[in-house]
Amino acid sequence: MTLRRFFIVTFVLLVSFVYWTSISEAQPGEPKVKWKMASNSPEGITLAKFINRDVCDGLERATDGEVAFVWYHGGIMGDNRDWLAKMQIDQLQGCILDGSGVESTVPNMGVMQLPFQFNDFDEVAYIKEKM
């Protein structure tokens, strides 16, 4: 599965979950659900462009404009720890974590960052599949 397909599938599943669990009363023409998301990627780089152009626009079209995304790029909402804390109090609904952020939430993922831990990519694929 390519990285692009992984992001799209993940966002579709998350949007579906939020759509069915937290639909609020909205004014006509306004989205019923608004997700606030954070990332460290600066606004002009490829990842931010991909998120804004492909992921957000595609999901907004797929949900007929009932779900909207507000992205805070460039780390303006803090760092990984800040985002996780804001997600717990519902100030943010999602974020793109880097390796240390993922490891702080799922400590077992730290094995993927150990140098010389694997002999080849087949071993890496096996571990990813099991995790």
Side-chain angles (χ1 to χ4, degrees), residues 12-106:
V12 168
L13 291 174
L14 290 172
V15 167
S16 299
F17 175 75
V18 168
Y19 178 75
W20 292 110
T21 58
S22 66
I23 294 178
S24 64
E25 293 297 320
Q27 299 297 324
E30 290 184 20
K32 291 183 180 179
V33 177
K34 189 177 285 187
W35 270 26
K36 292 182 269 182
M37 312 285 280
S39 81
N40 274 335
S41 60
E43 187 68 39
I45 70 164
T46 305
L47 176 62
K49 289 179 183 178
F50 167 72
I51 289 169
N52 293 332
R53 182 188 62 231
D54 296 332
V55 176
C56 293
D57 291 345
L59 289 173
E60 288 175 14
R61 281 192 309 271
T63 60
D64 295 325
E66 293 184 2
V67 178
F69 292 89
V70 177
W71 275 91
Y72 299 99
H73 292 291
I76 61 173
M77 292 293 276
D79 61 3
N80 293 324
R81 281 189 271 171
D82 296 329
W83 300 339
L84 295 171
K86 289 177 182 185
M87 287 171 65
Q88 288 181 343
I89 60 173
D90 205 32
Q91 287 182 349
L92 284 175
Q93 285 69 46
C95 62
I96 297 179
L97 296 171
D98 60 14
S100 64
V102 171
E103 189 177 348
S104 70
T105 58
V106 183

